[in-house]
Amino acid sequence: MEFYQVDAFTQTALRGNPAAVLHLPKWLDDATLLKIAQENNLSDTAFFVGSENKYEIRWFTVVEEMGLCGHATLASAHVLFKEKNIPYDDIIFQSRTRGELRAHKNEDGSITLNFPADFPKQLKEEEFPAFVTEALGVKPLELCRGIDDFLALVKDADQLKALKPDFKLIGESNCRGIIATAPGIDGFDFVSRFFLEAEDPFTGSAHCTLTPYWSNKLSKTDFKVLQCSERTGQGFTRLEGDRVYLTGFAKTCIRGNFHLE
């Protein structure tokens, strides 16, 4: 099977968020998909089945199947557009839990994803789970709950960058992770970091929550965004109704073949 490792939301190799991508002729059993993801040992491996510009897509971590993964979807679209040179500017990915996802190839080489928006619910201070403050080491100025994650607002980018989260505590919680965010710097509208059992370099699905949140705070719909991880990642987001449009670049780092026998 053809195998690709792609750095998503970057134009530079060894930056952004790496994802493994495999285009399968047909679906393998779930146990084998998980073992392949474990062999890759990346935050996410994307598998898709289909032809022309219509595909079914699934994402696996080294532990379990995920309901949605933005950077691995961008990586999958990049493989189809740039490595396989499909003669289409638009791809339809059908997911199992989040419905139809779309990817569009732009003239500058970037790719725009069309994902469902996650409008987070703001919590009252007395509703803040104690583990969030304990895990971050600071009390959020605001805290919201999205479908999968908590979103915590901190004072500024300096405080955001200085966070040293308790990953073990987050991994033991009842959420996927904590999105920490702050007002933007250096021309970015907002900045963020995302913590699960480890820090994620750039998280497309988290921006489905961040974009509606900051749209409400800033009364605007278009954003230039930066995720302040060690590898860093950046892109552009737009809120349009109940959809988030997420634009970024990707870079192929590894091409190869995956052998099961």
Side-chain angles (χ1 to χ4, degrees):
M1 297 180 293
E2 290 184 344
F3 166 89
Y4 300 89
Q5 184 169 314
V6 176
D7 289 341
F9 293 102
T10 182
Q11 291 180 275
T12 306
L14 309 181
R15 293 282 188 177
N17 201 352
V21 177
L22 288 93
H23 181 188
L24 305 176
K26 63 179 182 180
W27 284 114
L28 303 170
D29 63 86
D30 290 6
T32 300
L33 296 178
L34 181 59
K35 288 178 181 177
I36 292 172
Q38 291 169 341
E39 185 76 12
N40 294 331
N41 199 31
L42 294 171
S43 62
D44 290 276
T45 296
F47 302 94
F48 56 87
V49 171
S51 61
E52 297 185 353
N53 71 330
K54 295 182 179 180
Y55 301 87
E56 183 181 1
I57 190 167
R58 299 172 69 183
W59 312 271
F60 282 76
T61 70
V62 297
V63 176
E64 62 186 354
E65 183 170 7
M66 297 292 287
L68 179 67
C69 181
H71 82 278
T73 305
L74 184 76
S76 299
H78 169 82
V79 166
L80 288 166
F81 286 138
K82 301 294 178 65
E83 298 293 339
K84 293 182 172 290
N85 295 308
I86 64 169
Y88 302 95
D89 291 334
D90 292 278
I91 297 169
I92 299 172
F93 290 113
Q94 187 64 42
S95 70
R96 296 196 170 190
T97 61
R98 301 296 172 87
E100 186 177 282
L101 313 172
R102 290 178 176 260
H104 176 75
K105 179 175 64 176
N106 301 308
E107 291 185 0
D108 64 358
S110 66
I111 296 169
T112 298
L113 303 177
N114 175 342
F115 276 17
D118 175 16
F119 293 87
K121 176 188 176 183
Q122 186 160 343
L123 303 179
K124 299 176 182 178
E125 188 171 345
E126 58 268 23
E127 297 176 316
F128 287 15
F131 91 89
V132 173
T133 297
E134 187 178 349
L136 293 178
V138 298
K139 185 175 182 178
L141 300 178
E142 295 179 7
L143 187 66
C144 301
R145 179 67 199 246
I147 294 172
D148 297 316
D149 312 307
F150 285 100
L151 187 157
L153 177 69
V154 299
K155 181 176 65 175
D156 53 31
D158 288 337
Q159 187 177 58
L160 178 73
K161 293 176 182 179
L163 293 176
K164 296 181 179 179
D166 185 332
F167 294 114
K168 184 175 183 294
L169 188 59
I170 296 171
E172 294 171 348
S173 71
N174 64 347
C175 67
R176 181 181 68 157
I178 300 174
I179 308 164
T181 188
I185 55 170
D186 301 330
F188 294 96
D189 293 293
F190 62 83
V191 293
S192 65
R193 294 173 68 187
F194 185 53
F195 309 123
L196 306 100
E197 294 88 351
E199 181 164 5
D200 204 36
F202 189 97
T203 318
S205 59
H207 283 82
C208 294
T209 310
L210 284 160
T211 301
Y213 173 80
W214 282 105
S215 180
N216 182 61
K217 288 190 74 68
L218 299 179
S219 299
K220 58 186 292 186
T221 57
D222 291 78
F223 305 92
K224 183 180 181 182
V225 302
L226 174 69
Q227 193 156 325
C228 303
S229 62
E230 183 178 351
R231 288 173 63 104
T232 71
Q234 57 184 277
F236 297 87
T237 70
R238 182 175 82 254
L239 180 65
E240 194 171 299
D242 62 354
R243 308 293 292 186
V244 168
Y245 292 80
L246 180 58
T247 299
F249 290 87
K251 182 83 171 177
T252 301
C253 287
I254 299 173
R255 301 178 185 90
N257 291 287
F258 203 105
H259 301 278
L260 295 179
E261 298 180 355

